Each structure stands twice: as structure tokens, then as C-alpha cells.
Amino acid sequence: MATETTLLILGASGDLASRLLLPALGQLLALEPDRRVRLRGAGIEEGDHAQWRETVRTAFASVGADAAFAGVSETTYHQADITDPSDLSRIMAEAGDRLALYFAVPPAVAVAACEALTKVELPEGTVLALEKPFGIDETSARALNEIVARLVPEERVFRVDHFLGRSTLLNVLGARFANRLFDPVWSAEHIESVLVRYDETLGLEDRARYYDHAGALADMIQSHLLQVLALIAMEPPATLHERDLRDAIGTALRATHVWDDDPSTSSRRARYTAGSVQGRQLPSYVDEHGVDASRGTETLAELVCEVRNSRWAGVPFTLRSGKALAGKIGEIVVRFRPVNHVPTGLTGDAAGALLRFSLGPDRIDLELNVNGGDDPFVLERATLSADLGAGALRAYGEVLSGILDADATLSVRGDAAERSWHIVDPVLAAWRRGDVPLDEYPAGSDGPAGWPPLG
């Protein structure tokens, strides 16, 4: 019989659990029917076992995983104050030797819960899973790392980044390292620029309590897109096992800096005003419920970074993410340099090749210059495409798989979490000083009219 793991979701009555974690767990159990999970939910809100079981059933059914409910041997809900050591001891009682604690709570509550856990005896194999953002700056991230280090070893700490669970990002590694076409040219000698972009059509969606304190830079670029940059820029690891891969990511992030060390010229920020997004009317961000306009929270951020090593010197890495934009676009765009010389007699634009990884639907496109069909001496652009499919699991399914297996490969290591804040902290400081204007863009547009086009 498969080994059973107790998954205890702290903050189980929240949106993260019902919308993302439970559906992903259902999908995972449907794909791996031999996996056994004892599921417990805990939260400050009142509730009972029957209500919780119905919540779990509904979440599983939402992804067509009704039958997977049989893989959950026990499903219970416990009202508790997860910042109280005695309550934590109570809800962890008889959890067995394999306990995974998932903190589906706001960052401040997660910090308080971790401090409370220092007064609780944890099972030997306990795994901790903490959602982003991990801290609010480098100093707080380091302090939280110190608390967590008193609880469990680093290899059993999962700083969750669901982006690293995306099958597309794993396909980036396959395309880069398993093809002689790309491996020898993956450097500044041949690559002109890199863009990592994640545009959303969604607005605030009742998340002011968190988002109005975070903003696009901390919510997406610090938490996710810098990790994507590191996967693109890292040196080839010996293996894709936890230590080798995360060593390579950490090394890449330590070489990453804001372009020219100047946030005022290498970053941009804006927030949306009233507008229409794909037929939906959105109010101005400052008029959304729970927003404090005086905070100057940005809903769109761009940051240009450089990786200061021999492989990447001089290549701009542009990271962009925002809300209430015209279209949902998640992509990694690698633009190659033009060839040094085009033979006389061939005419037309000989722009560098372009490699694009699209995130949902997952696909790879390679744009090349080819001879024209009508006139073979005139260059035309052709695109070679490969659909990668949706992947076997949702991103959170990959995350939960790693947590239940105690395999931290697709999580953020402590040093990487601190380094990501180290990179963006000077930008946030410049924004607080007013060194970078807070521009505006209508909801449903591509962003502020005056911003330079993306490469």
C-alpha cells in the first residue's frame, strides 16, 4: 500500500484553497490513484467536517476528478487559531510521520504561525509549504528564513512558486539543453534580448487586502518572473535534481542586477483607470473596494535587468506583468542577433530569429528568415510551431506533487527568495521617493501610450 501523507491546509476556508489547491489535489489523485492522502483543513472561521467534505467534493468535481475523492482517506475541518501553539498542537495530533503543512494564509499570518510552531513539537518528516510573497523585503525574508530554519531542514521547506510548476517552463529547459541547435548559441554572442511577460485581463478581483500592499512588482516580478529569468540564464546543471537545479538558479540570481543599477531609467510603473476589458466594464483601480489610493500601488510594472557574467553581459532581460490589460499574454521571447552578413543578391529584412515560449496555451514558435515563395531572392519570415499541450497537471498540481513527495526541486530556495528581494528593493525605494512616475492606462488597453514597445 502506498505511503500516506497528511496534508494540513492552514487557511482552508480561503479562496486559494477552494479555487486552486483542492482542484489541483483532485487532479493529482485522479492521475495517481495509488497516492494516499489524509486531508485536514484548518481556519479561524466556523465550520464542520460535513461542510468541509462537501467543499472538497465540489472542488474535485470542478476538474472532473469526482472518483479521486476515494484517495482521501480522511477529510476533516478544524476551527483553530493557527498563531496559537496549543491550537496548532491540537490540529496536528495523530498526523503521522509524514505531515505537510500548507500555509494558505496572508504573509503576516504565515510569519506568526511559523513563530508559534517554534513552540510545537513537529513530526520528524514535516514539510512546510509557504505561499508568496516570502517576506516584504530582503530583511524580512532573511528573518523568516531564520525562523523556518529552526523548524525543519531547508530541503523540506517549499516556498511555493506555481510558475515553476508550469510544464512550459520545464520545456524551456528541454529545448535549451537537449538541442544542439540552441545550446551552443545560448549567450550574449548570439542573443540580443530576452522578454518575460505575463499580462492579465483580470482586474483586482476583490484582492485589495493583499494586492494593494504588494503591487505588480512584488506580486509577480519579484515572486515569479525573476525565477523564470534565472531558468533562462542559468549555467547547465549536472542534473535536474533539487540541489543541482537550485544551485544553478541561485548562481544566476546572484549575477542579476537592475540595468545600470539605475531604477529610475530601468523601471516603469502604472495603474489602470476605468475601461472595458473584453466586454467587462472595470472601474478605475483607485475606485476598487478596499483600495487606498494614497499608497500609489501599481497594477503594471516593467523592469529591465542584466545578468553580469561572461555568458550574458550586455543582454537586457525585460520583465513585465500587469492587470486589466487588453489580452492574457504569458510568454518568454528570446530574440537572436541578426547574422553578420547577408550575401549580396538576397533582399528583405534579415532580422534575427525569434524563439517564443507561450504560457497557456503552451507552445513554442521559432521565427526564421527563409527564401520567398514568389521571388526566391527576397527574404520572408516563416514560423515553425509546436503545440506542447496543457500538461498532465495544473501548475498547483505539480507543486502539490512535490510537497507530498518531499521533493523541493520546483520550489524556491531560501537564498533565492532573499536575492529576489535584493534585486527589487532598490526599485521599490526609488518608487517610494517618486523617482519613477506612476503612469496610467485605461483598462483593456496595452498599457500607457508613452511606453516603448516590447521587443
Side-chain angles (χ1 to χ4, degrees):
M1 184 175 178
T3 303
E4 187 172 66
T5 301
T6 297
L7 174 61
L8 173 54
I9 300 177
L10 306 177
S13 57
D15 179 65
L16 174 62
S18 61
R19 185 170 58 88
L20 294 173
L21 291 180
L22 293 177
L25 178 63
Q27 188 186 42
L28 175 62
L29 295 178
L31 287 172
E32 302 177 7
D34 291 335
R35 188 187 287 275
R36 307 300 296 174
V37 176
R38 180 190 294 128
L39 179 61
R40 294 183 181 179
I44 198 68
E45 294 82 2
E46 292 183 0
D48 57 36
H49 301 328
Q51 291 171 328
W52 171 246
R53 282 194 291 272
E54 186 57 31
T55 298
V56 177
R57 284 185 187 277
T58 301
F60 282 25
S62 70
V63 291
D66 308 63
F69 191 75
V72 182
S73 64
E74 177 189 328
T75 315
T76 56
Y77 179 83
H78 306 267
Q79 185 179 8
D81 177 0
I82 65 170
T83 65
D84 184 333
S86 61
D87 273 12
L88 286 169
S89 295
R90 173 173 57 83
I91 62 178
M92 290 190 299
E94 300 179 359
D97 294 331
R98 292 174 62 91
L99 170 64
L101 289 174
Y102 200 111
F103 294 78
V105 293
V109 178
V111 173
C114 285
E115 291 174 338
L117 281 173
T118 62
K119 303 177 178 66
V120 175
E121 184 176 354
L122 297 176
E124 183 66 26
T126 298
V127 167
L128 304 182
L130 296 106
E131 277 282 337
K132 58 105 177 156
F134 191 82
I136 58 172
D137 54 22
E138 184 181 12
T139 300
S140 61
R142 183 176 298 112
L144 183 51
N145 275 334
E146 291 171 355
I147 294 172
V148 170
R150 293 158 55 191
L151 300 174
V152 299
E154 172 63 34
E155 62 270 18
R156 285 196 270 115
V157 180
F158 286 72
R159 296 167 190 85
V160 174
D161 183 353
H162 66 272
F163 257 60
L164 297 185
R166 286 183 176 273
S167 56
T168 307
L169 293 181
L170 299 179
N171 281 316
V172 170
L173 302 184
R176 176 185 170 186
F177 294 128
N179 292 282
R180 188 174 289 275
L181 178 67
F182 297 125
D183 184 62
V185 297
W186 208 259
S187 69
E189 183 179 358
H190 301 284
I191 291 177
E192 184 175 86
S193 65
V194 176
L195 167 67
V196 182
R197 177 184 188 183
Y198 197 76
D199 288 358
E200 297 183 273
T201 58
L202 295 176
L204 187 57
E205 306 296 316
D206 296 321
R207 296 179 66 220
R209 182 178 177 184
Y210 159 70
Y211 193 88
D212 200 41
H213 291 271
L217 184 67
D219 180 54
M220 288 298 300
I221 292 179
Q222 180 276 142
S223 292
H224 297 312
L225 301 193
L226 278 170
Q227 296 294 317
V228 178
L229 178 154
L231 282 174
I232 298 166
M234 70 183 184
E235 293 300 310
T239 73
L240 293 186
H241 295 155
E242 175 265 329
R243 181 168 182 176
D244 288 341
L245 180 60
R246 300 207 296 177
D247 279 352
I249 288 173
T251 299
L253 287 175
R254 285 192 294 275
T256 300
H257 303 262
V258 173
W259 187 268
D260 282 341
D261 293 320
D262 189 351
S264 64
T265 59
S266 301
S267 69
R268 285 176 283 276
R269 59 176 177 151
R271 66 184 176 192
Y272 64 83
T273 58
S276 176
V277 183
Q278 299 179 349
R280 295 180 297 114
Q281 288 297 130
L282 287 184
S284 176
Y285 176 78
V286 298
D287 294 328
E288 295 270 22
H289 177 70
V291 167
D292 180 353
S294 67
R295 287 198 182 97
T297 301
E298 81 288 352
T299 59
L300 172 63
E302 285 186 18
L303 178 62
V304 182
C305 294
E306 55 186 315
V307 181
R308 293 176 186 166
N309 58 25
S310 60
R311 181 183 290 272
W312 293 110
V315 176
F317 286 74
T318 300
L319 311 180
R320 163 180 159 132
S321 184
K323 290 186 173 296
L325 292 160
K328 182 175 175 56
I329 303 174
E331 63 182 4
I332 302 163
V333 182
V334 180
R335 184 176 296 278
F336 290 86
R337 299 185 186 279
V339 296
N340 293 332
H341 173 70
V342 176
T344 302
L346 279 178
T347 61
D349 185 10
L354 189 148
L355 178 63
R356 185 189 310 273
F357 298 88
S358 297
L359 310 173
D362 293 356
R363 65 184 289 119
I364 298 177
D365 295 302
L366 177 61
E367 294 183 16
L368 299 169
N369 300 313
V370 299
N371 294 81
D374 296 329
D375 186 341
F377 292 97
V378 177
L379 294 172
E380 295 180 355
R381 201 73 165 173
T383 301
L384 308 178
S385 299
D387 289 317
L388 303 176
L393 288 172
R394 294 183 172 198
Y396 267 97
E398 295 283 1
V399 168
L400 286 173
S401 177
I403 291 169
L404 296 174
D405 291 337
D407 178 1
T409 301
L410 296 180
S411 71
V412 178
R413 200 166 65 185
D415 59 328
E418 293 178 26
R419 180 64 196 182
S420 294
W421 280 116
H422 181 86
I423 294 167
V424 304
D425 275 352
V427 182
L428 293 169
W431 290 4
R432 286 192 293 269
R433 292 193 304 267
D435 295 349
V436 178
L438 179 60
D439 297 323
E440 294 184 335
Y441 61 99
S445 69
D446 292 322
W451 286 18
L454 295 172

